[in-house]
Amino acid sequence: MSKQRQNSLAALSHDDSFDVVVLGGGINGIGVYRDLALQGLRVLLVERNDFCSGCSAAPSRMIHGGLRYLENGEFDLVKESLAERDALLRNAPHYVQPLPTTIPITSLLSGTLNAAASFLGWSGKPSRRGALPIKLGLGLYDWVTRSNRVLPKHQFHSAGSTRRARPALTPDLLCSATYYDAWISHPERLGLEMILDVEQHSPASQALNYAELTPEGENWHVIDSLTGDRQPIKTRVIVNATGAWLDSAISALNPGAPRSAPLVSGTKGSHLILDNASLMQALDGHMIYFENDDGRVCIVFPYLGKVLAGSTDIRVETAQRVRCEAAERDYILASLGRVFPDIALSADQIVFSYSGIRPLPKSDHDYTGRISRGHDVRRINGTVPQFCMIGGKWTTFRAFAEQTSNAVLQELKHPRQTCTRALAIGGGAGFASAQTDAPAQGNARTDHLLATYGSRATEVAAFCAAFADDRPLTDTSPTTTGEIAFLARHEHVVTLSDIVLRRSPLAITGQISTRMIDRICAVLRPLMAWSQAETTQQKQDLLAELNSYYGVSQDMLDSRN
């Protein structure tokens, strides 16, 4: 067990009274944890797995306003999303950056009546959108951001200019449109950095992963999943931020209470990470945002040296861990083949795949794309009132956290002391200066540290320089053994999977190999005080997880050696 975790558990034992307990360490739970802690409250965050390991680790990695939500008439959601997108561009510039986005258009008027009907409340499946409805949507997108514009306005391009710029796109093009949104490189790390910010600014608050909150009569206990130890705690309010698991968490927190109507329903979204040089070249730094034959929106864009493509949108009745199935893989590859017909695409180009459940408000819409991505807070009465976070999308986590915090602050009659809208996150603070002051600009190692840690890169570099055996994990990897040690000591690492899947980009970029795993284990074993048997188990658990949920087999790992 790391020293960091020992300190967190000791803090609970020393003082078991909290103003608020937040259950669920995804991006929404972390957001409300940070917001409430910064108001001067003592807050406990409890996550049963690792931080940002569920749906929050499986987004499309877009930070966007939600162009298609305009068709559903959700102007307030789009306005909020665009404001939050722009705030993240300012507050987390090390992770969130502009993304030019091109829409290939193959008709003029198609979908106009369908879009109008949808705007008026019709819930059926959309038809393919032509130039006119796309022009109207992008015009509204620009109009919403007219007062505080951060990114360029949209532009339309003729078929000829589009083909000259992007010859690999489908020859059926009538024209194209380009607008700007944003993308996020390390969503799991952004959540982790907010937890680290709370440690610095509100040290009385605590965040604990691999733990569970359970009621016992009128009391509450936190159970350490690693040891089974139980710690009684007291709290005045509980925030249920368990996402797709919200309804089951309500039942667990309120044993014996009548079962309430479900508040959330989920849809499954799967994505592929492809190693395809021709596709990367064809994208030329842009995301291509297009419609498949069934009317669903698909995306493909450059991501950390590879190509990210997605996504599916499949209704899920029961919240559970999911993976990208073969049918979804084939669906995504086929959709790419239609928009890039001359580029060879195959399953053996996939270096990683992932899937998650979007926690959406309960809806009876037949077409999942019509279900709102908005968010709401529901209060449940009890000796300890519970505030349930319903819905939400990655981009709007800060606004959702603020909405929830306001409800909690009103309950506790505690005034708001600060707003997080202009508050930098983690290595986003002073990032521009860090870039300017960094030595050896353009050096792969320097670029890697800045991209992974932002302004914290200097701290990480100093740690690595003092580490006894700091060397690259492989000849071609910018990640070093000292960096692995830094993560283990300072970033709430509990398992080998935490480092490979969430604290670093080693797995999602296809770098991870059998040899690299062995080298990481050699660094972690003394730091985590693992026995040889525990180290072997950690490795076996990671290999099983990679194979079962990310499409990375033992053969693939061996071939990368």
Side-chain angles (χ1 to χ4, degrees):
M1 183 185 299
S2 69
K3 182 71 172 176
Q4 200 173 24
R5 185 176 182 81
Q6 291 176 26
N7 292 339
S8 297
L9 292 169
L12 263 67
S13 179
H14 177 71
D15 184 353
D16 63 2
S17 294
F18 292 87
D19 297 302
V20 184
V21 172
V22 178
L23 183 62
I27 194 61
N28 289 327
I30 293 172
V32 75
Y33 168 69
R34 178 182 72 145
D35 194 306
L36 287 170
L38 293 175
Q39 310 316 317
L41 297 174
R42 187 168 190 243
V43 188
L44 173 64
L45 175 65
V46 180
E47 163 57 43
R48 67 178 177 179
N49 295 304
D50 188 25
F51 302 122
C52 280
S53 61
C55 179
S56 297
S60 294
R61 284 160 166 76
M62 294 166 56
I63 300 295
H64 64 119
L67 180 63
R68 67 187 177 92
Y69 307 150
L70 289 170
E71 194 172 285
N72 295 345
E74 296 184 280
F75 285 105
D76 288 344
L77 175 60
V78 173
K79 183 178 180 181
E80 178 185 71
S81 299
L82 288 170
E84 294 302 313
R85 177 202 69 186
D86 293 349
L88 279 168
L89 284 165
R90 293 189 299 269
N91 297 333
H94 56 320
Y95 294 153
V96 180
Q97 291 142 24
L99 179 63
T101 300
T102 292
I103 307 173
I105 302 170
T106 57
S107 68
L108 181 62
L109 299 175
S110 175
T112 304
L113 293 177
N114 184 281
S118 301
F119 179 77
L120 295 173
W122 182 65
S123 62
K125 185 170 73 172
S127 59
R128 186 179 295 272
R129 298 159 184 87
L132 180 59
I134 290 172
K135 179 67 176 177
L136 291 172
L138 290 176
L140 285 170
Y141 219 57
D142 288 341
W143 183 81
V144 169
T145 57
R146 66 196 183 282
S147 299
N148 300 292
R149 186 174 307 285
V150 174
L151 298 175
K153 296 173 68 174
H154 81 275
Q155 292 183 326
F156 263 67
H157 312 284
S158 68
S161 63
T162 301
R163 290 192 186 98
R164 285 191 294 273
R166 308 191 183 286
L169 280 175
T170 172
D172 297 334
L173 278 170
L174 177 69
C175 59
S176 68
T178 297
Y179 71 102
Y180 280 77
D181 257 324
W183 70 290
I184 181 168
S185 55
H186 301 85
E188 305 92 337
R189 290 199 53 79
L190 186 137
L192 190 278
E193 287 197 350
M194 287 197 289
I195 292 173
L196 298 178
D197 285 347
V198 172
E199 287 183 1
Q200 180 179 355
H201 298 292
S202 307
S205 294
Q206 297 294 326
L208 195 63
N209 52 357
Y210 296 98
E212 296 193 42
L213 179 70
T214 182
E216 294 191 5
E218 305 232 341
N219 302 313
W220 300 92
H221 283 77
V222 171
I223 303 174
D224 182 352
S225 299
L226 303 184
T227 64
D229 291 346
R230 308 169 73 86
Q231 171 64 48
I233 61 163
K234 306 179 187 72
T235 184
R236 300 161 63 193
V237 169
I238 291 174
V239 174
N240 184 344
T242 53
W245 285 263
L246 182 78
D247 293 313
S248 59
I250 290 173
S251 297
L253 293 174
N254 302 277
R259 189 171 183 84
S260 58
L263 298 177
V264 297
S265 61
T267 68
K268 178 188 177 189
S270 293
H271 302 78
L272 308 178
I273 305 295
L274 297 157
D275 187 0
N276 185 313
S278 297
L279 184 56
M280 175 71 90
Q281 182 179 6
L283 293 171
D284 191 28
H286 280 228
M287 178 169 81
I288 303 299
Y289 179 96
F290 62 99
E291 291 174 305
N292 203 5
D293 289 347
D294 59 4
R296 297 192 187 280
V297 170
C298 300
I299 59 167
V300 57
F301 65 95
Y303 178 75
L304 300 181
K306 298 297 188 293
V307 173
L308 187 154
S311 69
T312 57
D313 195 11
I314 302 169
R315 190 181 292 275
V316 175
E317 297 300 330
T318 303
Q320 59 186 322
R321 191 167 187 186
V322 292
R323 65 181 183 182
C324 179
E325 302 292 350
E328 295 174 277
R329 175 201 66 201
D330 295 343
Y331 173 92
I332 295 171
L333 290 175
S335 72
L336 288 177
R338 293 185 186 97
V339 75
F340 292 103
D342 295 328
I343 292 180
L345 297 158
S346 62
D348 60 9
Q349 298 165 359
I350 301 169
V351 299
F352 190 85
S353 63
Y354 65 93
S355 186
I357 298 177
R358 305 177 182 95
L360 307 179
K362 183 66 177 176
S363 172
D364 294 326
H365 280 303
D366 293 331
Y367 181 69
T368 54
R370 299 294 190 206
I371 302 175
S372 173
R373 266 57 172 176
H375 51 80
D376 193 17
V377 182
R378 184 76 57 87
R379 184 187 189 279
I380 296 179
N381 293 325
T383 53
V384 174
Q386 299 167 27
F387 290 85
C388 301
M389 301 180 74
I390 304 167
K393 57 196 286 279
W394 225 103
T395 302
T396 58
F397 76 83
R398 192 213 62 84
F400 193 8
E402 185 174 80
Q403 176 191 13
T404 308
S405 293
N406 286 339
V408 172
L409 292 171
Q410 184 178 12
E411 178 77 27
L412 297 177
K413 297 181 172 54
H414 186 94
R416 175 170 284 279
Q417 298 178 7
T418 188
C419 177
T420 58
R421 181 178 294 277
L423 187 63
I425 297 172
F431 180 58
S433 297
Q435 286 181 299
T436 302
D437 298 340
Q441 286 284 345
N443 176 276
R445 174 66 175 160
T446 300
D447 292 348
H448 162 74
L449 290 176
L450 285 169
T452 310
Y453 306 98
S455 58
R456 296 173 65 224
T458 303
E459 176 190 356
V460 179
F463 180 96
C464 292
F467 190 67
D469 185 28
D470 184 45
R471 54 195 171 96
L473 292 177
T474 67
D475 292 340
T476 58
S477 174
T479 304
T480 69
T481 52
E483 193 176 338
I484 299 301
F486 177 88
L487 296 174
R489 289 186 178 176
H490 298 288
E491 295 202 347
H492 293 272
V493 167
V494 173
T495 72
L496 175 61
S497 292
D498 295 344
I499 283 184
V500 172
L501 290 167
R502 289 172 288 278
R503 303 298 186 275
S504 76
L506 294 173
I508 198 169
T509 55
Q511 297 177 62
I512 197 66
S513 66
T514 307
R515 183 176 299 165
M516 187 181 286
I517 291 171
D518 289 337
R519 289 182 176 173
I520 294 171
C521 285
V523 176
L524 291 180
R525 182 180 174 187
L527 294 174
M528 305 297 287
W530 290 338
S531 66
Q532 182 59 55
E534 288 173 315
T535 305
T536 300
Q537 187 63 55
Q538 288 284 338
K539 179 180 177 180
Q540 290 175 348
D541 290 346
L542 172 63
L543 295 176
E545 190 172 10
L546 287 169
N547 185 61
S548 297
Y549 296 105
Y550 301 102
V552 180
S553 67
Q554 181 72 67
D555 287 344
M556 291 171 66
L557 292 169
D558 290 342
S559 70
R560 296 171 183 173
N561 287 334

